[in-house]
Amino acid sequence: DLHNFDKREEECESLEDLWMYSIKNMHNLLDCPEKIKGTEIEDLYIKAELAKMKVEQRKKYEEEVMTRNDILNSIAEQLEDARKEAARIGAAEGREEGLRKGMAEGLAKGRTQGLETGLAEGRAEGIAEGKNKGRAEVIRQFHSKGMSVEQIADLLDADVADIEKILL
């Protein structure tokens, strides 16, 4: 019985006690009690705060929540895209080193041409140069391990002449 419930916040031991305490005392509380934070009851306090807002305040709050969620989703998508790109590039040490150096060179060149244009061009050049250096390093490593030029060309789906140029 709610009207017989007389426990203080610190005396609540179960989730049922916390529910009863919240329902009975919500009209006197200014904020969600610490003991309730992290439980599903905290949603009750959030919804009560929203219910107290004027229509204009609630619209502004909802717009801010939507904006925040859009930003978080955008960041999550960018992180996923970056993860996919990193996975696509591969784990070869030479290739990673080439990519880092290429991106650094590309970014340095891009800054001199303007931030927006420079970043786009620098990334493209850095990635291209990194790929080329990384590929050349992988070819040299394969060759140093005893693989023939033909085997390397077949493995990398490349022309024998291109592999020979790199090994010269």
Side-chain angles (χ1 to χ4, degrees), residues 45-88:
Y45 287 86
I46 293 168
K47 287 183 171 88
E49 287 296 318
L50 290 173
K52 288 192 291 186
M53 289 181 183
K54 293 179 181 174
V55 174
E56 299 84 23
Q57 289 175 313
R58 192 175 311 145
K59 283 182 182 177
K60 185 176 180 185
Y61 172 78
E62 289 171 355
E63 287 173 3
E64 289 172 356
V65 168
M66 287 174 52
T67 300
R68 183 194 56 148
N69 288 341
D70 288 346
I71 291 169
L72 291 174
N73 287 337
S74 175
I75 291 169
E77 287 174 9
Q78 290 174 3
L79 287 173
E80 179 62 17
D81 290 347
R83 186 199 60 76
K84 286 179 182 177
E85 179 66 13
R88 187 185 68 73

Side-chain angles (χ1 to χ4, degrees), residues 34-154:
E34 283 301 315
K35 198 166 189 175
I36 291 172
K37 289 184 179 177
T39 70
E40 61 266 19
I41 304 170
E42 187 175 10
D43 288 340
L44 175 68
Y45 287 86
I46 293 168
K47 287 183 171 88
E49 287 296 318
L50 290 173
K52 288 192 291 186
M53 289 181 183
K54 293 179 181 174
V55 174
E56 299 84 23
Q57 289 175 313
R58 192 175 311 145
K59 283 182 182 177
K60 185 176 180 185
Y61 172 78
E62 289 171 355
E63 287 173 3
E64 289 172 356
V65 168
M66 287 174 52
T67 300
R68 183 194 56 148
N69 288 341
D70 288 346
I71 291 169
L72 291 174
N73 287 337
S74 175
I75 291 169
E77 287 174 9
Q78 290 174 3
L79 287 173
E80 179 62 17
D81 290 347
R83 186 199 60 76
K84 286 179 182 177
E85 179 66 13
R88 187 185 68 73
I89 290 171
E93 288 181 17
R95 189 171 188 172
E96 288 176 8
E97 180 64 22
L99 182 60
R100 278 192 293 275
K101 286 180 181 178
M103 286 179 67
E105 290 172 13
L107 287 172
K109 181 179 177 183
R111 284 189 182 110
T112 63
Q113 296 174 356
L115 183 61
E116 208 170 292
T117 303
L119 283 174
E121 290 176 6
R123 281 190 194 116
E125 290 177 18
I127 288 170
E129 187 175 332
K131 284 180 184 178
N132 290 339
K133 286 183 178 180
R135 183 177 173 95
E137 182 63 28
V138 167
I139 289 169
R140 286 186 196 96
Q141 287 177 0
F142 283 162
H143 193 258
S144 72
K145 299 287 185 194
M147 289 181 73
S148 70
V149 171
E150 291 77 17
Q151 288 173 321
I152 297 170
D154 185 47

Side-chain angles (χ1 to χ4, degrees), residues 8-22:
R8 295 186 316 269
E9 177 187 353
E10 58 274 0
E11 294 175 320
C12 294
E13 297 175 2
S14 68
L15 190 58
E16 182 181 286
D17 285 348
L18 291 171
W19 272 110
M20 299 278 280
Y21 175 82
S22 293

